[in-house]
Amino acid sequence: MKRFAVLLAVMTLIIGGLSAQSAKIGGSIKVLGVWGGQEADTFAAMTQVFTDRTGVQVQFEATRDLDAVLTTRVQAGNPPDVVILPNPGKLYELAGAGKLVDLSKLLDMAEFAKDYSAGWKDLGTVNGKLYGLFVKAAIKGLVWYNPKAMKAAGIEAPSTWDEMIATSKRIAATGTTPWSVGIESGSASGWVGTDWLANIFLRLYGPAKYRDWYEGRVSWTSPEVKNAWQYFGQIVGDPAMSYGGSQYINSTNFGNAPAPLFQDPPKAYFHMQASFIQSFITDQFPGLKPGKDFDFFGFPSIDPKYAKAVEGGADVVAVFKSSPQVKAFMNFFASAEAQSYWAAGTGALATNRNVSLVFYTDPISKRAADLLNKSDIVVLSAGDMMPSEMQAAFWKACVDFVANPASLDQILANLEKVRATAYKK
Amino acid sequence: MSVVLLLIAALIGVPLVLLGYIRLSEPLAGRNPRRAALLRPWLWLLPTFVLVAVFLVYPVVTTMVMSLRNGDSTAFVGLSNYAQVFSDPDNLAALENNILWLVFFTLGTLVFGLLIAVLTDRVRYESAAKALVFIPMAISFVAAGIIWKFMFEFRPAGEVQVGTVNALLTAVNPHFQPKAWLVDRASNNPALIAVGIWMWTGFAMVIISAALKAIPVDVIEAAKIDGATEIQVFFKVTLPLVGPTLGFVATTLMINVLKVFDIVYVMTNGNLGTDVIANRMYKTMFNYHNFGVASAIAVFLLVCIVPVMVINIRRFKQGGVANG
C-alpha cells in the first residue's frame, strides 16, 4: 500500500511537474541547519504547509555548531537528507568532495530559471552542476541610523565614503562617538569586521578583483588589501570614532551593537550591519517603528565605478540523499509560495524574485528586497566564500586588528601564511 | 515514551543480558572444575575487554594511525603532522597558555580548596558553607562560561555597568576604569583561569576536607600539649598528614586542566591570545578538516596526560587517599 502510494506520488510528480499539491507521499526527511528562534518558527510554519499537502514529515535539527555536527555525520556515512548551510564556502567544499546531489535532477529547472536570477544560480554551481539553492537572503553593508536623532543633530545621510568620514569627524568633534561597532559573536567573533572589509574592498576594486581576492589569488600583504584594512581602521582604529573604543568593539555582541543609537541622548549615530539586524533592533526595542525610528542607507561608494554592486549574504540549501520526499520538499522550498514566508516580518529577504513585494510587511524590508531584486551584481561576503580555514583566520585577524591596529603588517603576514595552505585542499 | 522504554531496557534488560551471558558462558568453561575455575574470571571479563577495545583501544589506535597520514587521511606523511603541531605559532601560543593553566589553575584550586576546607572545619555552619562552594561543580562548563561572560560584561566608563565584576569595582571605587576583562590581553587569561578555579574549588575542598576529618585527634592534641601554636600545628602536623591527598587532588586537576576546552571555547574561542591546545585540536579537526594534524595534537595531549595518570593510579594503589 505504502509502496503504491510512493509510486503514485512519483508518477504524479513526473506527469504534473510540480504537483506536490495533490500528492500524498508520506514518509519523512531529515533537515539539518543553524536556524533558531524566529527563523526556526518561520521555517516550521512554512514546512507545515508542505507536510499538510504531501504527508511528508520534516524533521528539523538545529545546531549552532553546524561545522562539527556535519563533519561528524558525513564522516560516519550518516548525513542528513538536506542541509541548510549558513555560508557557501562549506557548499563548495562538500560539492568538491562529491558528497552532494545535483539539484538539476530534483528541481523543475524551467521554474527555477523563472524564479532565480542567474547570479544566484552561478553562486550555487560547482563544476557546471547546480548544488546549492540560495534562500533567505540579507543585504550586507547597510548603514543604520536613527532618523530622529540625525535630524536633531542636523546630520544628513552621506553617499560617499569621504563624506561619511567627514560627517563622522564632525560628530566626533562635538564629543559624541559617531559609530557603534560590535564584532563579538561566540566562536565566529570577528565576522562583522570581515563584512566591513568585504564592502570596502568591493567598492575600492570592483567585483572581478573581489573574486580574485576570495579565491585566493590576491596576496594579503599586497598594497591593495592593506589599503582596505586602513579604510576600516579609520573607524575602528580611532577611539573618538567608535563608541567605547576597541574594548567595546571586541566585547560587544553584534546583536547588541545597534543599541547606543537608540539611547537618549544617542551615544552613536551610525551602525553598519546586514538587513537582518532589523529583527534584533525590534526585539530589543519593540516600540521602534521601521522607517520612522530607524532606517538605513546603502554602504557609501568609494570608487564611483563600483557604486552599484550589492553585497548579499544567504543561506544555501544542499541535498545529500535523493528521494521522492526530498524532491518534493526541494521544489516546494524553492517556490515563491514557500519563500514568501521570509518576507513576513523576519527581516530576511527572499531570493526567489517572484515573491511579491507586498509580502514585506514593513517599508525597510521592502526597500531592501527591491534593492536585491534589482541589483545585477550580487556578490556574497568574501569571508563566506573563502575556505573555512581562511575564513576563520580572517575573523581572528579582525579581532586582532581592532585590539591593536598598529600590528596590521604582522596580522596580514599571518593571513598570507594561511592563504598558502588553505586553498590547496 | 522512548525514554520509558530506554529505562526499562536499562533496568531490566541489562542485568538480564549479563545473567544470560554468565549462564551461557558456563559450558565454555568446561566440566573440569579446576580448569573451569581458571577460565571463569576471563570469561566474565570478556564483555568488558570487548567494550574497552571497541570504545577505547580502537579509537586511540586509529587516531595514532591518522596522525601519521595527511589532512584527509589518503596518504602516509610520516611525522610531518607533528612537525607542524610544534612549528605553528598558534599552537605554540596555545601550549604556552596550557602551561599557564597548568600552574595557576592547579595551584589556585588547591590553595582555595585547602583554605576553605581548613577554615570551615570547625564552624557550626560548615555544611552550608561547603555546599555553597561545591555548587559550581554541578554546573556544566558551558553554562558557567556563559554566566561568567555576563559577569565580565563591559560598558564604557560613565555608562551603567551591567556586568557584575565591573559594577562591583566601580561601586567600590568610583575612579575605577571599567575593563573588558575578556578582551584585554593582560586580563583575559587570568579571567578564564579564575572561572576554572571557581568551578573546581569545590571538588578540591570536599576531598581535602575528608582527609582533614581523618586526621586522628590525639596527634593534634599531642602537638598542642607539647606547646605548638595553631599555625605550627597546621604546617607541621596537618599539612604533612594531608600531603598525599593534596598530591592526588593536584594530579587529578592536572589531568583535567590539560583537557581544558569548554570555558575557552565559550568565553573567547581562543581569540586575543587565550587559545588552548584542546581548542586548537577542535578547530583543526572540525573547522579546517585537517584530520592528520588534529590527530597529532590528540596524540600529543594523550602523551602529556599519561605520566600524570600513571602517578595518580600508583597513588591510588598505595591507598594514599584512603589513608589521608
Side-chain angles (χ1 to χ4, degrees):
Chain A
M1 213 31 218
K2 206 172 178 186
R3 192 174 287 171
F4 175 72
V6 170
L7 205 76
L8 201 74
V10 174
M11 274 173 64
T12 39
L13 273 175
I14 293 166
I15 296 162
L18 176 82
S19 64
Q21 276 85 348
S22 57
K24 283 272 182 194
I25 311 174
S28 68
I29 59 166
K30 287 195 168 73
V31 180
L32 183 71
V34 294
W35 293 336
Q38 199 187 22
E39 304 162 303
D41 294 344
T42 307
F43 182 62
M46 184 193 293
T47 51
Q48 189 56 49
V49 176
F50 171 71
T51 304
D52 289 347
R53 210 171 281 165
T54 61
V56 178
Q57 298 290 330
V58 178
Q59 296 168 356
F60 181 58
E61 185 192 333
T63 168
R64 280 280 159 193
D65 212 345
L66 190 75
D67 237 5
V69 174
L70 199 59
T71 304
T72 319
R73 291 184 55 173
V74 169
Q75 280 298 312
N78 177 32
D81 296 312
V82 175
V83 67
I84 304 160
L85 301 161
N87 64 60
K90 190 86 197 165
L91 174 80
Y92 303 145
E93 269 175 49
L94 290 166
K99 307 277 185 199
L100 300 175
V101 174
D102 181 357
L103 295 183
S104 64
K105 299 210 171 80
L106 295 174
L107 293 172
D108 177 344
M109 291 309 285
E111 190 63 34
F112 180 81
K114 264 189 272 168
D115 284 348
Y116 292 87
S117 69
W120 290 119
K121 189 182 175 186
D122 288 347
L123 286 167
T125 302
V126 182
N127 300 331
K129 284 186 182 144
L130 181 70
Y131 286 109
L133 168 70
F134 282 85
V135 296
K136 193 177 166 289
I139 294 194
K140 294 196 164 186
L142 304 179
V143 180
W144 298 82
Y145 60 92
N146 173 346
K148 287 175 180 164
M150 291 264 284
K151 208 170 165 202
I155 306 163
E156 283 194 23
S159 61
T160 68
W161 179 274
D162 291 338
E163 268 175 50
M164 185 169 83
I165 293 297
T167 309
S168 302
K169 286 198 167 138
R170 244 189 14 254
I171 299 170
T174 67
T176 308
T177 44
W179 287 88
S180 175
V181 185
I183 68 171
E184 198 275 339
S185 180
S187 57
S189 288
W191 68 260
V192 180
T194 66
D195 273 8
W196 269 99
L197 281 156
N199 273 296
I200 291 168
F201 196 99
L202 177 65
R203 281 165 182 79
L204 273 170
Y205 309 117
K209 185 97 190 178
Y210 182 81
R211 191 186 176 107
D212 285 347
W213 177 43
Y214 68 67
E215 288 186 344
R217 288 189 296 271
V218 177
S219 164
W220 287 92
T221 47
S222 67
E224 288 103 324
V225 175
K226 188 174 175 182
N227 184 29
W229 282 80
Q230 282 162 339
Y231 267 81
F232 182 39
Q234 291 175 19
I235 286 168
V236 297
D238 183 351
M241 287 289 260
S242 189
Y243 177 64
S246 71
Q247 292 208 349
Y248 181 84
I249 299 175
N250 261 338
S251 65
T252 302
N253 188 271
F254 74 94
N256 298 330
L261 270 63
F262 306 106
Q263 289 185 25
D264 190 24
K267 300 283 177 186
Y269 288 89
F270 300 130
H271 176 70
M272 191 292 295
Q273 189 51 278
S275 52
F276 60 68
I277 200 69
Q278 182 177 350
S279 66
F280 287 81
I281 295 174
T282 47
D283 274 357
Q284 281 176 58
F285 304 97
L288 296 185
K289 293 270 167 300
K292 218 170 92 210
D293 298 315
F294 64 94
D295 208 342
F296 70 81
F297 56 85
F299 200 90
S301 69
I302 300 176
D303 186 331
K305 261 188 295 183
Y306 308 121
K308 290 277 179 204
V310 167
E311 191 204 319
D315 291 338
V316 55
V317 186
V319 173
F320 282 105
K321 287 182 252 172
S322 177
S323 69
Q325 286 87 351
V326 169
K327 182 173 178 156
F329 175 74
M330 289 302 287
N331 278 298
F332 171 77
F333 205 24
S335 69
E337 183 198 359
Q339 291 304 308
S340 63
Y341 276 81
W342 299 125
T346 64
L349 313 173
T351 43
N352 186 318
R353 59 185 163 192
N354 288 322
V355 170
S356 164
L357 287 179
V358 298
F359 286 112
Y360 292 93
T361 46
D362 66 82
I364 289 197
S365 303
K366 197 172 284 188
R367 231 176 86 212
D370 198 34
L371 213 75
L372 189 66
N373 289 350
K374 284 188 183 144
S375 62
D376 298 329
I377 312 164
V378 182
V379 299
L380 295 188
S381 190
D384 287 347
M385 303 295 277
M386 293 173 181
S388 32
E389 187 170 3
M390 192 72 248
Q391 183 182 29
F394 191 12
W395 287 340
K396 186 172 180 290
C398 287
V399 173
D400 290 336
F401 178 68
V402 166
N404 183 13
S407 64
L408 179 59
D409 284 325
Q410 198 201 328
I411 291 168
L412 293 176
N414 280 343
L415 285 172
E416 183 58 18
K417 239 187 281 168
V418 177
R419 184 179 75 101
T421 57
Y423 286 93
K424 273 191 199 147
K425 283 169 233 160
Chain B
M1 192 51 208
S2 60
V3 179
V4 176
L5 281 177
L6 210 67
L7 264 176
I8 294 172
L11 289 175
I12 302 170
V14 172
L16 221 62
V17 167
L18 276 178
L19 269 178
Y21 172 78
I22 289 170
R23 282 307 293 250
L24 288 175
S25 68
E26 201 52 23
L28 286 175
R31 292 230 180 102
N32 181 343
R34 281 193 53 182
R35 227 182 114 239
L38 269 175
L39 266 175
R40 201 171 288 122
W42 295 107
L43 281 172
W44 288 11
L45 279 171
L46 193 66
T48 311
F49 282 144
V50 170
L51 287 178
V52 169
V54 170
F55 291 107
L56 200 71
V57 178
Y58 167 70
V60 168
V61 171
T62 313
T63 307
M64 284 178 175
V65 172
M66 274 167 84
S67 75
L68 302 174
R69 303 181 73 87
N70 64 352
D72 48 8
S73 274
T74 49
F76 181 79
V77 292
L79 291 173
S80 77
N81 288 328
Y82 290 91
Q84 206 180 322
V85 171
F86 294 110
S87 61
D88 184 339
D90 288 338
N91 284 339
L92 293 178
L95 273 178
E96 263 174 45
N97 286 335
N98 267 77
I99 294 170
L100 271 184
W101 272 87
L102 198 65
V103 174
F104 290 101
F105 167 82
T106 312
L107 271 181
T109 311
L110 218 51
V111 167
F112 278 110
L114 180 65
L115 202 69
I116 294 165
V118 170
L119 290 179
T120 56
D121 196 33
R122 274 174 279 169
V123 292
R124 255 187 307 125
Y125 48 89
E126 180 186 354
S127 42
K130 286 207 300 206
L132 221 57
V133 178
F134 195 72
I135 284 175
M137 277 301 287
I139 304 174
S140 79
F141 278 94
V142 174
I146 290 168
I147 293 169
W148 277 90
K149 219 171 153 179
F150 285 128
M151 306 257 283
F152 285 130
E153 178 93 30
F154 164 80
R155 288 291 142 90
E159 298 288 308
V160 177
Q161 292 299 323
V162 292
T164 318
V165 177
N166 280 321
L168 267 177
L169 289 170
T170 43
V172 172
N173 172 14
H175 297 295
F176 179 78
Q177 284 293 314
K179 212 172 154 77
W181 297 92
L182 298 174
V183 167
D184 193 320
R185 276 177 188 265
S187 68
N188 54 11
N189 272 316
L192 293 175
I193 293 173
V195 177
I197 294 175
W198 176 79
M199 292 209 71
W200 278 89
T201 296
F203 165 81
M205 175 204 68
V206 165
I207 296 181
I208 296 170
S209 180
L212 284 177
K213 305 274 182 222
I215 297 175
V217 188
D218 43 348
V219 179
I220 291 172
E221 271 176 2
K224 281 190 181 158
I225 289 165
D226 288 345
T229 61
E230 282 284 348
I231 290 177
Q232 279 174 324
V233 169
F234 177 75
F235 281 105
K236 298 255 162 75
V237 181
T238 314
L239 212 51
L241 282 175
V242 294
T245 307
L246 291 181
F248 166 77
V249 174
T251 43
T252 308
L253 289 175
M254 281 164 141
I255 293 171
N256 275 297
V257 78
L258 281 168
K259 302 185 292 187
V260 65
F261 168 77
D262 323 51
I263 296 176
V264 175
Y265 179 73
V266 172
M267 295 181 71
T268 64
N269 192 33
N271 272 324
L272 298 166
T274 58
D275 227 350
V276 287
I277 201 75
N279 206 19
R280 291 296 308 166
M281 174 172 78
Y282 177 90
K283 278 185 199 162
T284 313
M285 173 93 194
F286 292 117
N287 298 136
Y288 312 157
H289 306 290
N290 193 331
F291 294 6
V293 174
S295 302
I297 298 176
V299 172
F300 169 70
L301 211 56
L302 183 75
V303 169
C304 289
I305 290 176
V306 162
V308 190
M309 236 155 65
V310 169
I311 294 172
N312 223 6
I313 292 171
R314 280 231 180 107
R315 227 182 261 283
F316 209 71
K317 273 189 180 159
Q318 289 161 359
V321 186
N323 294 343

